[in-house]
Amino acid sequence: MSPIESADVVVVGAGIVGAACAEALSAAGRRVLVVDRGAPAGATTASGEGNVLLSDKAPGPELRLALASRRLWPQLLETLRAELGEDLADVEWESKGGLVVALHEDSIGPLRILTEAQREAGVDVQDLGQGAACAMEPHLTRAVTAAAHYPEDAQVQPVLAATALLAAVRARGGEVRGGTEARGLVVQGGRVAGVRIGGDAVPCGAVVNACGPWAGHFSVAAGAPIEILPRRGMVLVTAPLPRVVGRKVYAADYVAAVASGDVDLRVSPVVESTATGTVLIGSSRQRVGFDESLEVEVLRRLARSAVRLFPVLKDVPVMRAYGGFRPYTPDHLPVIGEDPRMPGLWHAGGHEGAGIGLAPGTARMLADLMDRRRPEVDPVPFRVARPALMAEVRT
């Protein structure tokens, strides 16, 4: 492999967020190099379900970023189709909507409070009773007490999406290198002047830390530590079936599981079909470091929770199970922006399970900030210098 001479920006991490940032920066005219110690889109992105969700976010900064990202996704895909052609830009986008269901009487009130607040924040959400919910999803349990329909919830195939974004970077003259580990920064005059890759120093004007669950590790190597931790999740995949689930369907307590900071295991049923006919069953959250073990008890709880929502799945064979790590921040907000301790070092991470949905908005915000333009979404809540990430830094 030929040596890397230089780049305007080096993006460290070739998952969906790194790929989106690289695409946005290359679209702005920068020569971008993307490096990943593994295969591009081969880690957290490959372990995701491809969710582009508004339904699981309460009003606040993350929902504002999600709304902007949801508007950007179709525009971005149109750009990719124009530049790459239909085949390379086919990411299995499905604007299929989502259904959140209450399974107990005492879940109805909190669900209605959430949907009313989301409507006021600009989310298209429709409150449903049991009959309407079961009409939309005929195989849904009749134990449903109420539901909410989110027409804008969508899904992409995450590896295809990241691959298409990286193909656009290459088509614009950038480089993407897997199996290439960034080991730290070159600093001159108190700011980033390059990145150390293997035994070489690659000159560049900026480095983007988009390392997902490993962003905390890279931040330490870069000399500007931030608090991003891994949070493990597992997914079951059934054998291909006739279409038994039309949307992403999950129990109302999933929203609380997403927002929790618990170290212990949290399981809440999430069920959806893919374009190939398989059914994906989640969702678990557990802070166990980078332990990759597939725990049988977690898989059992996932299966039981899915059958609670869709009894038709009771005797369906499971084809495989897999796990991955979400990049978790203690305040549940991504970190997007330049590090005040190290000018030229930028962070784009900490999206936990929402990276695929938030990737276009994150990338646009990063590119705008790098060009000193005012982003559409207020970047202040996502700033690096906030107590949850690094208590020693003051704004």
Side-chain angles (χ1 to χ4, degrees):
M1 184 178 290
S2 61
I4 303 166
E5 295 183 0
S6 66
D8 296 328
V9 182
V10 176
V11 177
V12 184
I16 190 69
V17 172
C21 289
E23 188 281 332
L25 293 168
S26 68
R30 288 181 167 84
R31 183 172 182 269
V32 179
L33 166 66
V34 185
V35 298
D36 197 295
R37 66 181 183 178
T44 295
T45 295
S47 300
E49 298 170 73
N51 294 325
V52 181
L53 302 183
L54 302 177
S55 54
D56 64 342
K57 297 169 182 65
E62 188 182 25
L63 179 57
R64 290 192 288 274
L65 184 61
L67 284 163
S69 288
R70 180 60 180 82
R71 291 191 294 270
L72 286 170
W73 259 117
Q75 300 171 25
L76 180 56
L77 295 178
E78 186 59 38
T79 297
L80 295 176
R81 280 191 289 270
E83 292 190 23
L84 304 174
E86 291 288 340
D87 289 343
L88 277 176
D90 181 7
V91 302
E92 297 181 4
W93 172 267
E94 288 188 275
S95 187
K96 60 185 180 181
L99 194 67
V100 180
V101 299
L103 297 176
H104 308 285
E105 291 292 335
D106 58 5
S107 299
I108 299 174
L111 178 59
R112 295 297 183 238
I113 291 170
L114 175 64
T115 58
E116 180 57 32
Q118 289 173 323
R119 266 190 295 273
E120 292 179 2
V123 177
D124 183 0
V125 51
Q126 300 147 15
D127 294 330
L128 305 177
Q130 187 224 48
C134 291
M136 293 182 77
E137 293 288 345
H139 296 286
L140 187 64
T141 175
R142 268 43 184 179
V144 166
T145 55
H149 177 225
Y150 293 82
E152 293 176 298
D153 277 3
Q155 186 177 26
V156 296
Q157 208 294 333
V159 174
L160 294 178
T163 300
L165 292 165
L166 294 172
V169 173
R170 291 190 185 95
R172 297 167 187 159
E175 288 187 78
V176 180
R177 296 204 177 188
T180 304
E181 185 173 1
R183 300 184 180 274
L185 303 179
V186 178
V187 180
Q188 294 179 358
R191 67 165 294 116
V192 171
V195 62
R196 299 191 184 281
I197 298 175
D200 299 322
V202 178
C204 62
V207 172
V208 178
N209 174 12
C211 296
W214 297 272
H217 287 183
F218 181 75
S219 72
V220 172
I226 57 174
E227 189 79 354
I228 294 181
L229 304 169
R231 202 177 188 194
R232 189 178 68 190
M234 295 184 184
V235 176
L236 297 175
V237 185
T238 73
L241 301 170
R243 195 75 162 180
V244 297
V245 185
R247 297 156 190 80
K248 182 183 184 72
V249 182
Y250 62 84
D253 62 359
Y254 172 78
V255 177
V258 170
S260 78
D262 292 353
V263 173
D264 295 337
L265 175 66
R266 294 288 298 262
V267 173
S268 182
V270 181
V271 182
E272 63 190 312
S273 295
T274 69
T276 61
T278 60
V279 174
L280 304 181
I281 297 170
S283 154
S284 68
R285 280 171 163 75
Q286 197 174 13
R287 284 170 54 192
V288 292
F290 285 103
D291 182 354
E292 297 180 342
S293 304
L294 287 176
E295 297 182 17
V296 173
E297 180 55 30
V298 177
L299 302 180
R300 284 198 188 104
R301 288 181 62 177
L302 288 174
R304 286 196 296 263
S305 69
V307 172
R308 281 175 57 215
L309 278 186
F310 287 92
V312 69
L313 296 176
K314 181 179 180 182
D315 296 317
V316 171
V318 171
M319 186 167 61
R320 65 187 180 98
Y322 63 89
F325 300 105
R326 304 176 182 92
Y328 164 89
T329 62
D331 61 0
H332 301 283
L333 284 177
V335 53
I336 307 166
E338 190 173 23
D339 197 304
R341 301 163 295 181
M342 185 68 68
L345 172 63
W346 297 73
H347 299 284
H351 299 77
E352 199 168 335
I356 291 153
L358 298 180
T362 296
R364 179 68 63 85
M365 181 182 291
L366 186 86
D368 285 344
L369 290 170
M370 203 174 282
D371 281 339
R372 308 303 176 196
R373 292 190 302 265
R374 181 172 181 160
E376 174 190 351
V377 178
D378 181 6
V380 171
F382 308 101
R383 69 196 184 282
V384 183
R386 62 187 203 251
L389 295 183
M390 47 184 200
E392 75 276 15
V393 174
R394 297 290 179 263
T395 56

